[in-house]
Amino acid sequence: MNQSFFLYIILQLYLLIAPCNISAQEDYKLWLQYKKIQDNKIASNYQSKIYRIYPLGNSETIQAATKELQQGISGLLDRKIALQQSTNTENMLILGNKSSLNEAILKNIKNEFDIINEEGYIIKSIQLKNKKHLLITGKTDIGVLYGVFNFLKLLQTNQSIENLAITDAPKINVRILNHWDNLNGTIERGYAGSSLWNWHKLPEFIDQRYIDYARANASIGINGTVLNNVNASALILTPQYLEKVEALANTFRPYGIKVYLTARFSAPIEIGGLKTADPYDTEVINWWEEKAKEIYLRIPDFGGFLVKANSEGQPGPQNYGRNHVDGANMLADAVAPFGGIVMWRAFVYSEHDVNDRAKQAYSEFVPYDGQFKKNVILQVKNGAIDFQPREPFHPMFGAMPKTPLMMEFQITQEYLGFSSHLVYLPKLFQETLESDTYQKGKGTTVVKIIDGSLNNHKITGIAGVANIGNDINWTGHPFAQANWYGFGRQAWNPYLDSETIAEDWLRMTFSNEENFIKPVKEMMLESREAIVNYMTPLGLHHIMDTGHHYGPGPWVSTLSRPEWNPVYYHKADTKGIGFDRSKTGSNATAQYAAELAKIFDNTASCPEKDLLWFHHLSWDYKLKNGETLWNGLALKYQEGVNQVEKMQTTWDQMKNYLDETRFKEVQMLLNIQRKEAKWWRDACLLYFQQFSGKELPKGVEKPTQTLNYFQSLKFPFAPGN
Ligand code: BDP
């Protein structure tokens, strides 16, 4: 082969691969695309206001911030930006923490430092000797880094950078991802590939992905990560793994991200050679103290432990006749000398308890209010059952004023179509956060409990079960990135509207074109209601197929634990459908404040979206719109399908606003979503129809398969299980 022919072949091969690489990169880059600004006027305005970067200080964090600015600006403004250690020239971008600022710079600051906390930031247009500059500062280097990401967000979303005077600070201290990652690389309920953590190659090999993970998290203010599954292996606490954990902690530290681990309660037996894990046993207490010392020696800023105890078969203090307070406080004592915390999960229910599962966590934990050590925070799922498409807020949020409670949301879509359905979750999160607990009268919303403001708690937290894996696009669905992004934004500011977040995300991830933003934002905002409609309308819940939770399974009734069976939750019979949790039923409503219990108890005042969560009603029950319950239910299922079809129509018109790869990916995924929405509708309606004995109302499409067919479907290899 002559040389030029060889080169020609190489070139052809490159051309074949190159476009894939470019768009794969777009998938990979998340919301940190830093693509050249299309609007020339805006770009030249930015050009005229940004000359060079003047970093004050040289910490790893300031270096990361500087690098991010360089990377961002070189992409957005399509030019290299140099560093300069002076303010002689105008339009310097000055970055540094408070103590690095000189008198002249400080003169430009009024009370901004007083109104931000340790992680807050200030972005301000300032003047030094009649020259204009931009200052990005905070009390700490991490604050500066957050400021940098937020300054870049201004550019990415084409905002004005004229006369800036922005101060912002997180409203919650612990903003954390929970990875349900196993040491063998699988992820429980993960739908985006395998675990990011390559335990085999750690500690030596630091994958660039770890750094990009840290950048992405820092850009939205996430400051903690639990590396391992709540169903934990004790091995993570052995020196062999702690060395690897240390390497990750070192990698994340410059980005303000602390590492935490799930602690398996029986670890003293499994890896410590003790006979018991009884929290009253001195050897056990010592073992945890020594373990904490060992960890902090390696990782001085280790965050602490997350614990799933006596829940779904996990070991815990009850195995030794002790209780949650005993277990949590023992671990809390072990990490307290080092400033660590214990996040003790409240996700408990028991097959030996005949009470309504929705009542069990409250019954078990509320009596302990005020008994936990200061560095314990209870981690409570948003609803009392389990991350359903819709659940009323967990009654524990209104019932434990003396205990800090942190929110646990699920970002990974275990019950929401895995990573093939487009569902914008910040809408769901917002609904929970805004719910009124009436703990101290009207307006005492869930958000005021978890941000500590209502009951004056010092430790506050919010956790999101991560949807991140090693797929090129991290989350399996391009739009699932918005759920990671949105979670972070809401963790930073849980009062933020999910619409604002969707808009920022779209601008940063895809395009600033209004003709793209408006319809796609609407599509995102409607997507959560769509999935509720085609899966579990009117308060239905937990009717997914068993184990893997993929697809409908309202007929499942043979699992060993009653509350694992969908029939337990919908209770459909010839008389009607729904779980009576009112005072005539399980009386779960009594776990809410009296005002709220009254609202939920009465079918007339109970919000229709929660109707079958709280009531068992006849098929002929009249809904507010005059339809019978049967017809209303069927129409809701149909509406869900229609909504997905509308999403498809919207998306099909967006071709010109983004790269072909992502456009097509979403298009293909929406096809799956429509197919599965119809599957849900048909399977559920055929199943419930056996009890209602009624025809489908006008407007609802006829199923094309039989109930037998749907019941015969099996998915032994559904992901995430
Ligand atoms: C359920 C999941 C299970 C988790 C459990 C938990 O199906 O995989 O281990 O929650 O949160 O939703 O502990």
Side-chain angles (χ1 to χ4, degrees):
M1 192 166 20
N2 75 28
Q3 202 188 357
S4 56
F5 183 66
F6 179 69
L7 285 175
Y8 170 74
I9 294 288
I10 295 287
L11 178 71
Q12 288 306 310
L13 276 175
Y14 174 75
L15 288 178
L16 211 70
I17 300 165
C20 317
N21 274 345
I22 289 164
S23 30
Q25 275 173 24
E26 276 166 343
D27 253 339
Y28 179 85
K29 283 186 190 159
L30 298 162
W31 47 90
L32 302 175
Q33 300 279 325
Y34 302 144
K35 260 203 324 238
K36 185 170 181 244
I37 292 169
Q38 294 301 308
D39 187 316
N40 289 336
K41 232 173 99 189
I42 293 176
S44 63
N45 176 278
Y46 292 161
Q47 292 282 16
S48 71
K49 295 199 163 55
I50 302 169
Y51 179 54
R52 284 182 179 164
I53 304 172
Y54 182 6
L56 301 164
N58 196 29
S59 70
E60 281 189 292
T61 301
I62 293 295
Q63 284 180 39
T66 309
K67 207 168 145 200
E68 195 69 35
L69 264 182
Q70 287 185 295
Q71 190 179 336
I73 288 172
S74 74
L76 290 159
L77 301 185
D78 196 21
R79 72 155 156 97
K80 290 263 170 294
I81 176 161
L83 309 187
Q84 178 179 305
Q85 298 289 319
S86 87
T87 47
N88 295 342
T89 5
E90 250 196 338
N91 296 319
M92 297 297 296
L93 253 175
I94 307 169
L95 21 146
N97 69 31
K98 187 181 178 189
S99 61
S100 71
L101 307 181
N102 64 28
E103 277 301 304
I105 297 178
L106 282 171
K107 271 204 185 121
N108 285 272
I109 305 275
K110 288 187 213 129
N111 66 337
E112 287 93 328
F113 279 116
D114 306 332
I115 56 179
I116 59 169
N117 57 31
E118 290 300 297
E119 292 177 294
Y121 65 86
I122 304 167
I123 306 177
K124 196 160 190 192
S125 306
I126 61 165
Q127 292 224 4
L128 297 172
K129 296 195 187 141
N130 288 330
K131 290 196 171 73
K132 287 185 174 172
H133 302 286
L134 270 164
L135 172 68
I136 303 179
T137 185
K139 288 183 180 161
T140 59
D141 286 347
I142 294 303
V144 178
L145 180 69
Y146 289 148
V148 161
F149 276 114
N150 280 283
F151 176 72
L152 285 167
K153 172 154 73 78
L154 294 179
L155 308 186
Q156 287 175 282
T157 55
N158 292 358
Q159 307 291 305
S160 161
I161 55 165
E162 204 91 39
N163 301 323
L164 290 177
I166 301 174
T167 51
D168 196 12
K171 297 198 192 320
I172 290 184
N173 326 127
V174 180
R175 308 178 296 279
I176 195 167
L177 289 177
N178 287 184
H179 287 268
W180 286 0
D181 293 20
N182 300 311
L183 297 182
N184 66 3
T186 59
I187 306 180
E188 181 154 342
R189 313 308 179 183
Y191 312 103
S194 313
S195 173
L196 286 187
W197 325 131
N198 191 332
W199 295 113
H200 181 65
K201 288 187 180 159
L202 280 164
E204 289 86 359
F205 186 78
I206 301 299
D207 195 325
Q208 174 61 31
R209 234 187 158 147
Y210 304 152
I211 299 163
D212 291 331
Y213 166 85
R215 286 176 53 234
N217 279 324
S219 77
I220 47 179
I222 287 174
N223 68 355
T225 179
V226 182
L227 300 176
N228 61 325
N229 194 354
V230 285
N231 300 317
S233 158
L235 288 180
I236 193 85
L237 299 174
T238 58
Q240 186 192 358
Y241 278 94
L242 287 177
E243 190 188 12
K244 300 167 191 283
V245 172
E246 180 185 349
L248 288 174
N250 291 343
T251 310
F252 300 156
R253 187 170 297 111
Y255 296 90
I257 296 162
K258 279 189 189 179
V259 159
Y260 298 71
L261 293 175
T262 300
R264 186 167 165 84
F265 202 78
S266 52
I269 303 174
E270 285 148 19
I271 59 166
L274 301 188
K275 292 216 168 48
T276 176
D278 182 350
Y280 279 18
D281 185 285
T282 18
E283 275 192 88
V284 172
I285 296 169
N286 286 342
W287 188 86
W288 282 110
E289 280 175 4
E290 288 307 311
K291 189 48 75 183
K293 263 188 219 151
E294 180 190 343
I295 297 175
Y296 279 94
L297 208 60
R298 289 181 179 278
I299 311 167
D301 57 353
F302 178 69
F305 293 130
L306 171 66
V307 188
K308 173 175 177 177
N310 295 122
S311 155
E312 298 186 327
Q314 292 298 308
Q318 291 172 354
N319 299 31
Y320 309 96
R322 316 294 178 199
N323 63 31
H324 289 288
V325 178
D326 301 325
N329 286 353
M330 174 200 54
L331 289 173
D333 282 342
V335 293
F338 312 98
I341 62 165
V342 170
M343 298 169 287
W344 192 266
R345 293 178 89 227
F347 178 65
V348 296
Y349 59 97
S350 157
E351 76 263 45
H352 307 299
D353 189 340
V354 291
N355 282 305
D356 175 2
R357 171 176 166 188
K359 289 172 64 179
Q360 295 182 23
Y362 177 106
S363 308
E364 208 167 320
F365 277 93
V366 171
Y368 301 137
D369 190 22
Q371 296 182 33
F372 291 96
K373 293 271 161 110
K374 278 205 176 64
N375 57 334
V376 175
I377 183 163
L378 289 189
Q379 182 166 313
V380 185
K381 288 190 181 181
N382 60 289
I385 297 292
D386 200 358
F387 298 140
Q388 296 302 296
R390 168 165 281 132
E391 293 189 46
F393 76 89
H394 201 307
M396 278 178 70
F397 285 113
M400 298 189 74
K402 290 185 239 146
T403 309
L405 302 179
M406 68 188 278
M407 174 65 72
E408 179 175 332
F409 285 130
Q410 192 178 43
I411 314 173
T412 190
Q413 291 169 234
E414 174 181 357
Y415 296 98
L416 288 105
F418 294 4
S419 63
S420 9
H421 293 212
L422 190 164
V423 188
Y424 178 58
L425 295 177
K427 193 81 178 151
L428 182 168
F429 303 159
Q430 185 178 351
E431 183 176 286
T432 306
L433 293 166
E434 281 176 349
S435 298
D436 202 339
T437 70
Y438 291 85
Q439 188 183 99
K440 294 189 178 165
K442 203 169 159 43
T444 45
T445 47
V446 171
V447 62
K448 292 185 183 161
I449 311 252
I450 64 153
D451 77 357
S453 59
L454 190 69
N455 300 307
N456 275 321
H457 290 303
K458 291 277 169 303
I459 314 181
T460 55
I462 178 164
V465 180
N467 61 348
I468 303 163
N470 68 357
D471 271 8
I472 289 180
N473 72 359
W474 303 80
T475 55
H477 193 307
F479 275 76
Q481 297 178 354
N483 296 334
W484 173 10
Y485 177 85
F487 167 76
R489 294 287 304 274
Q490 284 172 317
W492 177 279
N493 180 3
Y495 294 85
L496 207 58
D497 192 79
S498 55
E499 182 173 350
T500 311
I501 300 172
E503 175 151 349
D504 283 345
W505 178 78
L506 283 169
R507 288 180 186 276
M508 294 162 83
T509 308
F510 293 112
S511 163
N512 274 292
E513 292 271 355
E514 298 302 332
N515 292 340
F516 173 80
I517 301 291
K518 205 169 162 282
V520 181
K521 186 172 76 181
E522 266 167 33
M523 170 179 101
M524 288 170 77
L525 292 175
E526 201 177 319
S527 62
R528 190 297 186 100
E529 210 54 46
I531 199 166
V532 169
N533 288 337
Y534 65 72
M535 280 191 182
T536 52
L538 298 174
L540 286 176
H541 51 284
H542 219 307
I543 55 173
M544 294 76 195
D545 200 358
T546 182
H548 48 62
H549 300 146
Y550 173 57
W555 46 80
V556 175
S557 63
T558 54
L559 300 177
S560 58
R561 292 177 63 152
E563 72 291 336
W564 279 351
N565 292 293
V567 293
Y568 171 93
Y569 297 97
H570 63 67
K571 302 207 186 308
D573 54 24
T574 49
K575 290 200 216 96
I577 182 170
F579 198 128
D580 186 1
R581 294 196 166 99
S582 73
K583 55 182 180 225
T584 58
S586 79
N587 204 20
T589 47
Q591 295 185 335
Y592 290 99
E595 295 94 317
L596 208 49
K598 210 168 136 200
I599 294 174
F600 290 149
D601 267 335
N602 187 338
T603 49
S605 53
C606 180
E608 250 174 23
K609 62 183 173 53
D610 299 322
L611 202 55
L612 304 177
W613 183 282
F614 289 116
H615 298 277
H616 187 84
L617 297 170
S618 104
W619 296 107
D620 290 321
Y621 174 85
K622 274 267 159 19
L623 295 170
K624 296 214 169 78
N625 63 4
E627 296 285 355
T628 62
L629 177 58
W630 166 251
N631 282 357
L633 191 72
L635 288 164
K636 279 279 177 200
Y637 272 107
Q638 180 64 46
E639 191 185 337
V641 172
N642 298 347
Q643 285 168 303
V644 177
E645 284 171 350
K646 195 172 129 205
M647 283 157 72
Q648 291 190 291
T649 315
T650 303
W651 188 253
D652 284 344
Q653 291 160 8
M654 297 302 131
K655 194 172 174 5
N656 295 334
Y657 297 102
L658 72 159
D659 54 288
E660 206 184 334
T661 307
R662 287 187 298 174
F663 172 74
K664 281 201 176 141
E665 279 170 359
V666 175
Q667 208 173 36
M668 292 185 284
L669 288 162
L670 283 170
N671 264 326
I672 301 180
Q673 188 167 359
R674 185 190 48 190
K675 199 175 87 191
E676 295 190 352
K678 288 187 169 178
W679 170 30
W680 267 93
R681 176 198 61 195
D682 294 350
C684 291
L685 289 178
L686 282 170
Y687 171 75
F688 291 134
Q689 195 172 33
Q690 304 177 101
F691 305 105
S692 80
K694 294 175 192 296
E695 290 295 309
L696 290 177
K698 228 176 108 214
V700 179
E701 280 172 57
K702 297 259 168 311
T704 51
Q705 298 284 355
T706 62
L707 179 58
N708 272 340
Y709 165 79
F710 290 121
Q711 291 181 325
S712 75
L713 299 175
K714 296 279 172 290
F715 306 95
F717 305 114
N721 199 13

